[in-house]
Amino acid sequence: MRLLPGFMVLLFVAGCNLVFREGPGVHDANTDGDALDAPPPFEWANVSAGIDHTCAVDAKGGLWCWGGNRFGQLALPLSTSNALATKINDETWTMVSNRGVHTCALRSDKTLWCWGDNSRGQLGVGSMANHTTPQRVTDRLFTFVDTSRVNTCAIDDNQRLYCWGENESGQVGDPNQGKFASVPVAVDVNARWLTVAVGDSHACGIQTDRTMWCWGNNALGQLNGVTSPVVNKPQKFFNDDDWTSVTTFAATTCGVKPNGVSCWGQNVNGEIGDNAPITIAARRVAAAGRSDWSVITLGGEHTCGLQRDTLAWFCWGHNGYGQLGQYSQKTPVPTPLQMATDAANASRRWLSIALGARHTCAIDDKHQLFCMGSDNEGQLGKELPIRGPRKVGDNWTAFSATASTACGFTSNQLHCWGNGRTFQHGNGVSASQQVPLKVTLPGPIEPTVVAAGNRATCAVVPSGGMQGLYCWGAATNSEFGNPLIPVVATMPVLVSALSYDTIAMTQHVCARDTTPTWYCWGANNKGQATQTASANPQATPSGVSDKAITVGGSHTCGDFNGWRCWGDNASGQLGGGMNSDNSASINLTNVVGELRAVRAGGLHTCAITNNNAAYCWGRNLIGEVGDGTNVKRTTPVAVLGGLAWQQLALGALHTCGITTEGKLYCWGDNSVGELGLAAPRQIAQPVQVGTDQDWAAIDAGDFFTCARKTDNSLWCWGYNVEGQLGLGTGWRPVLEPVPAPK
């Protein structure tokens, strides 16, 4: 966002991050005689926050970045995260925007440079390849730039607007472009622009006559009442001609005028700030009885602003990751509340704010930088994210991990943690949890088996007067298996009185009763529940004749006098070759011995034979099959290494296992540390994790892994954006200073 001239001197910064100047230069260091020998404090000029990384320009024009680096957005050659502020180079920079997972910045000579993710052409350099070093964008000179996940827009020194990147919703602003534009495209060559803001699939800008224009996707009302679902060139909105700034993120937009702020579009988490239901109509936003905002900036699911005279800092919206600081993360903040009112920060005046997807940063009047919120990739600049197994706690007897949620039993009590936004923790609260939280069970029941699914959780009480299957969360795919139960259960409810002893679930569920008979229900769009695809989920348990079952993302495998798989086969994960339909026997041509156990993952499958050898098949994009290649395998191939396996666990893009010697090995994707190794990003064959030989059990979510040792201690590692590692390090709800770079 950019505030236009008329109120005070400003340094314009991308992503709604503004710095109030104290005259022609940034605040000068104290030059009193008693301080001549003291080094001047490190001062920040402006800051921008993205999905999982942060960048800031210091008072001398140095550009620094930290956080996630999966796509090279920190301009570092290795794809691992880095929580330490790293200087991009020795050039002098004036502004930066990094609202997605790429970064664009302007040098003092007005040249524009971009790096990081380029999967949609958002770097503007004529290709679709990622870059880990700054690349110049055309030979034009620019004065302003703004970015989103998949797009970039910039204004040149003649006030002409250019956009590039994804164009599936017309967000490039030129109806003659295709799905992608990998070089800058002029937006209305006859118009002159003062500022622009880029959302996930739309954009809004202010022309020199201070009128508001928007274009792109309108599915969630981000174009404020336009009837068309897509507008592929700028269209004037409102009759006002006094707009001073505009900000967007995702599908929400806010505009600032001298007499107040209006917001419109998506309002799922209260990001519009008026405590109203979801609406596409523009609404006024006020705080403390005042509506005279100088700055408004939108984050992924929250919004913040500065009042014009007091420079008081207010925020509202989602606070599930501490991005609003001291307020409760349990519920969204529907109306503006003042930030940094604690004793340590109450006297500060705030000059600049920057909002990422789930974190918030601000610069105070002494030009010191503070951040709070999600820290899963080190974007708060405090410490490196977790790499390698870390201890969750002791006395864990059983556990389950899937997607981004985990549950387990410790001291005979059931706990859950990680993603809880659809009430998966069973405590009545829609919020993620970064340490194990005790499930609120109905009465004196004692479940012994638990399964965490993508959006719901179920536990088995095997005997007693309250025996049966209890579930909670969001059963959007009929995961409860009982049409009489509401789709959302905020606390555990009895869904079946049958006595089950085993259960597995993702978006579909399979459970075995004590007869023993297996039943499956839930998502069935690929036939994963019933072996016959249906647009509607299987609402009630459907009997399956197999002796053993394993549940994958959208496929299932079972032992029916020999192992077979059914459901989705887009990546060959059924193991019978690509010519099979939604049910296939596993092709054993290359298998030595008989299969004794099978585990289904996201889009790949693995098995252990009766001689303890491992075979895998399916998607192999990152080496998750473990055969030393990245070639998709539609039938089983041997996992390299010749190891003897006890157990395997499959995530979305990785595989881990425990050998018969109690050693831990992993392979596949390691971009977020899910292999438990510091580097590299991907490994196509098993590599030992540490040297311990006392591992006893293992399970994997999409991008994280948990394992139990023989002493019943539980350890987790990998992606931690939802707190799924259970270590209390996923986010920081307290505003803390970012250490000065060294």
Side-chain angles (χ1 to χ4, degrees):
M1 187 189 76
R2 180 180 176 188
L3 186 65
L4 304 181
F7 302 107
M8 55 190 69
V9 180
L10 296 171
L11 173 66
F12 300 135
V13 186
C16 313
N17 310 318
L18 308 181
V19 177
F20 291 80
R21 287 286 203 171
E22 299 180 358
V26 178
H27 175 72
D28 294 329
N30 186 349
T31 56
D32 293 341
D34 58 356
L36 288 177
D37 294 332
F42 193 92
E43 297 182 339
W44 296 99
N46 59 74
V47 60
S48 180
I51 290 178
D52 60 8
H53 76 298
T54 307
C55 294
V57 177
D58 67 35
K60 297 181 179 180
L63 177 58
W64 307 76
C65 293
W66 57 93
N69 191 46
R70 196 180 317 175
F71 301 95
Q73 61 264 45
L74 302 186
L76 295 173
L78 295 178
S79 59
T80 54
S81 303
N82 184 8
L84 302 177
T86 302
K87 197 171 187 180
I88 299 302
N89 53 34
D90 292 327
E91 300 292 339
T92 301
W93 303 84
T94 58
M95 68 175 296
V96 60
S97 178
N98 65 320
R99 306 276 275 172
V101 286
H102 71 292
T103 306
C104 292
L106 286 174
R107 289 184 183 172
S108 56
D109 61 2
K110 298 183 181 181
T111 57
L112 176 61
W113 302 74
C114 295
W115 59 95
D117 181 30
N118 196 32
S119 57
R120 300 295 187 272
Q122 58 264 53
L123 300 188
V125 295
S127 72
M128 306 284 277
N130 297 346
H131 287 276
T132 60
T133 58
Q135 305 293 307
R136 185 171 179 187
V137 182
T138 79
D139 57 357
R140 296 185 180 87
L141 301 180
F142 293 92
T143 60
F144 184 80
V145 63
D146 194 32
T147 57
S148 71
R149 288 187 310 108
V150 292
N151 287 99
T152 306
C153 290
I155 298 173
D156 73 5
D157 56 353
N158 290 314
Q159 296 185 306
R160 290 185 173 89
L161 175 62
Y162 295 84
C163 293
W164 55 94
E166 185 174 293
N167 194 43
E168 292 190 1
S169 297
Q171 61 263 51
V172 167
D174 183 347
N176 297 317
Q177 292 298 314
K179 291 185 177 181
F180 307 104
S182 61
V183 295
V185 174
V187 179
D188 190 351
V189 295
N190 296 316
R192 296 296 180 269
W193 300 84
L194 294 175
T195 190
V196 66
V198 189
D200 273 0
S201 57
H202 79 293
C204 291
I206 298 173
Q207 294 189 1
T208 52
D209 61 0
R210 300 202 180 190
T211 54
M212 178 79 73
W213 299 70
C214 297
W215 58 97
N217 193 345
N218 190 41
L220 297 174
Q222 52 266 63
L223 302 189
N224 189 40
V226 172
T227 57
S228 174
V230 171
V231 175
N232 56 19
K233 61 181 179 180
Q235 181 170 322
K236 183 178 178 181
F237 290 83
F238 312 106
N239 294 320
D240 308 30
D241 59 1
D242 58 348
W243 295 98
T244 59
S245 65
V246 61
T247 175
T248 65
F249 203 113
T252 309
T253 307
C254 291
V256 179
K257 299 195 297 182
N259 64 349
V261 168
S262 293
C263 296
W264 58 91
Q266 182 171 281
N267 194 31
V268 173
N269 293 287
E271 47 266 71
I272 285 181
D274 65 346
N275 202 22
I278 300 172
T279 179
I280 62 172
R283 293 180 177 270
R284 297 291 293 276
V285 181
R290 300 178 52 169
S291 59
D292 54 337
W293 300 95
S294 60
V295 175
I296 293 286
T297 180
L298 282 158
E301 299 169 313
H302 66 301
T303 310
C304 293
L306 296 176
Q307 288 191 333
R308 182 168 298 122
D309 297 330
T310 66
L311 298 185
W313 173 19
F314 290 80
C315 292
W316 55 96
H318 188 56
N319 192 36
Y321 308 94
Q323 60 263 57
L324 302 190
Q326 70 267 35
Y327 298 103
S328 171
Q329 73 170 92
K330 294 182 178 180
T331 56
V333 176
T335 56
L337 292 177
Q338 189 168 354
M339 298 290 104
T341 57
D342 56 293
N345 296 302
S347 63
R348 299 184 192 277
R349 287 165 59 87
W350 298 97
L351 306 182
S352 172
I353 49 179
L355 276 60
R358 293 172 172 173
H359 72 292
T360 305
C361 296
I363 296 175
D364 71 0
D365 55 355
K366 297 186 183 300
H367 301 281
Q368 301 303 295
L369 177 61
F370 298 79
C371 293
M372 59 187 173
S374 180
D375 197 29
N376 62 296
E377 296 287 346
Q379 58 263 53
L380 301 189
K382 299 293 291 186
E383 62 184 34
L384 291 173
I386 298 300
R387 289 276 173 168
R390 295 294 184 270
K391 189 176 180 179
V392 178
D394 293 311
N395 301 317
W396 291 89
T397 55
F399 64 98
S400 171
T402 191
S404 53
T405 305
C407 294
F409 295 95
T410 179
S411 301
N412 295 321
Q413 295 182 335
L414 177 58
H415 292 70
C416 292
W417 62 96
N419 190 345
R421 299 186 68 172
T422 57
F423 302 98
Q424 299 102 303
H425 300 155
N427 66 341
V429 175
S430 171
S432 293
Q433 180 71 26
Q434 57 179 340
V435 294
L437 180 72
K438 185 179 178 181
V439 176
T440 305
L441 298 168
I445 66 173
E446 295 184 1
T448 58
V449 178
V450 65
N454 288 20
R455 297 172 61 84
T457 309
C458 292
V460 172
V461 177
S463 60
M466 299 182 70
Q467 79 169 33
L469 181 64
Y470 292 78
C471 296
W472 55 95
T476 50
N477 286 294
S478 299
E479 288 95 328
F480 295 162
N482 188 339
L484 300 179
I485 304 296
V487 171
V488 176
T490 63
M491 309 277 278
V493 295
L494 180 66
V495 300
S496 173
L498 282 177
S499 180
Y500 292 105
D501 60 12
T502 301
I503 185 170
M505 63 188 298
T506 53
Q507 297 182 84
H508 67 294
V509 185
C510 292
R512 185 183 65 187
D513 69 14
T514 55
T515 59
T517 301
W518 280 92
Y519 297 86
C520 294
W521 62 92
N524 198 38
N525 59 310
K526 298 293 184 178
Q528 59 265 52
T530 67
Q531 302 182 39
T532 301
S534 171
N536 298 317
Q538 175 63 30
T540 58
S542 175
V544 183
S545 301
D546 297 63
K547 295 180 292 185
I549 292 285
T550 178
V551 171
S554 55
H555 72 294
T556 309
C557 296
D559 182 3
F560 183 64
N561 297 320
W563 280 91
R564 59 178 182 161
C565 297
W566 58 91
D568 184 21
N569 196 37
S571 296
Q573 61 265 48
L574 300 190
M578 291 303 295
N579 294 325
S580 59
D581 52 18
N582 66 347
S583 180
S585 296
I586 298 172
N587 187 323
L588 301 179
T589 301
N590 298 319
V591 176
V592 177
E594 297 180 357
L595 303 185
R596 68 169 173 84
V598 175
R599 289 296 301 267
L603 290 171
H604 72 297
T605 310
C606 293
I608 299 175
T609 66
N610 57 357
N611 57 10
N612 299 324
Y615 293 80
C616 294
W617 58 95
R619 185 173 63 178
N620 196 25
L621 184 66
I622 312 292
E624 57 264 46
V625 163
D627 67 339
T629 76
N630 297 113
V631 178
K632 179 171 65 177
R633 302 298 186 179
T634 62
T635 58
V637 294
V639 174
L640 295 181
L643 298 167
W645 297 95
Q646 176 192 149
Q647 296 181 38
L648 295 173
L650 282 63
L653 294 169
H654 76 290
T655 308
C656 290
I658 298 172
T659 67
T660 55
E661 296 177 324
K663 297 179 181 179
L664 174 64
Y665 288 79
C666 292
W667 60 96
D669 182 39
N670 193 41
S671 59
V672 290
E674 59 265 59
L675 301 189
L677 304 167
R681 178 178 177 177
Q682 65 183 67
I683 301 169
Q685 65 185 64
V687 173
Q688 187 172 359
V689 181
T691 58
D692 295 348
Q693 300 185 45
D694 57 348
W695 297 100
I698 191 166
D699 203 0
D702 282 351
F703 301 102
F704 76 108
T705 313
C706 292
R708 179 169 53 86
K709 290 190 172 184
T710 54
D711 63 359
N712 287 334
S713 60
L714 182 65
W715 303 68
C716 294
W717 58 94
Y719 203 39
N720 200 31
V721 67
E722 299 288 351
Q724 58 263 53
L725 301 190
L727 304 171
T729 57
W731 54 86
R732 297 171 182 267
V734 178
L735 194 67
E736 297 180 353
V738 175
K742 297 180 181 179

